[in-house]
């Protein structure tokens, strides 16, 4: 049995071979099963403790985002009452109604 395992190699399709993560340029990732944290959040998912498998760069490498596998992602945790109360305490102005642009005030001067 040990003789049969000698020819097997554990190949990771995302590993460039030198131990570093693959780097994609902007709009060149082309992998349908990879997403950034923001893209995962929009899908209702979170990385769930997994390590990033790639990196996407833009602006000559000055800005980047980690890419995660979608199939290993977990569902986003629901908002609890305690979390909502903490957000209300921290960001009360974000909950206020924002005036519509172009609306005129009816208050007399």
């Amino acid at each position: 049995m040990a003789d049969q395992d000698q020819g097997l190699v554990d190949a990771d399709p995302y590993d460039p071979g030198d131990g570093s993560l693959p780097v994609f340029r902007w709009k060149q990732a082309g992998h349908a099963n990879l997403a950034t944290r923001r893209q995962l959040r929009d899908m209702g998912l979170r990385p769930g403790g997994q390590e990033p498998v790639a990196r996407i760069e833009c602006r000559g490498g000055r800005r980047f985002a980690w890419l995660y596998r979608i199939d290993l992602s977990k569902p986003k945790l629901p908002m609890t009452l305690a979390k909502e109360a903490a957000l209300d305490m921290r960001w009360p102005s974000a909950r206020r109604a924002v005036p519509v642009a172009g609306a005129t005030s009816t208050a007399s001067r």
Side-chain angles (χ1 to χ4, degrees):
M1 186 84 166
D3 294 335
Q4 294 174 350
D5 292 338
Q6 288 179 357
L8 297 177
V9 177
D10 185 20
D12 185 1
Y14 302 112
D15 188 12
D18 61 355
S20 65
L21 294 176
V23 177
F24 298 106
R25 301 289 174 232
W26 182 249
K27 295 192 178 191
Q28 293 181 346
H31 289 282
N33 60 342
L34 297 180
T36 63
R37 289 178 66 96
R38 184 171 289 185
Q39 290 169 334
L40 288 175
R41 185 184 64 205
D42 291 344
M43 292 182 233
L45 300 171
R46 62 186 171 96
Q50 66 172 309
E51 295 292 321
V53 295
R55 180 174 148 155
I56 188 166
E57 292 182 346
C58 65
R59 298 188 184 186
R62 289 179 292 182
R63 297 196 60 175
F64 68 91
W66 299 112
L67 295 172
Y68 300 91
R69 289 181 49 183
I70 295 173
D71 58 338
L72 297 179
S73 300
K74 296 181 179 178
K76 194 164 49 168
L77 298 174
M79 178 70 73
T80 63
L81 290 175
K83 285 182 183 179
E84 190 172 355
L87 286 174
D88 284 340
M89 293 292 289
R90 188 170 179 182
W91 305 105
S93 61
R95 297 283 183 169
R96 293 186 193 139
V98 178
V100 179
T104 59
S105 175
T106 58
S108 59
R109 291 185 177 189

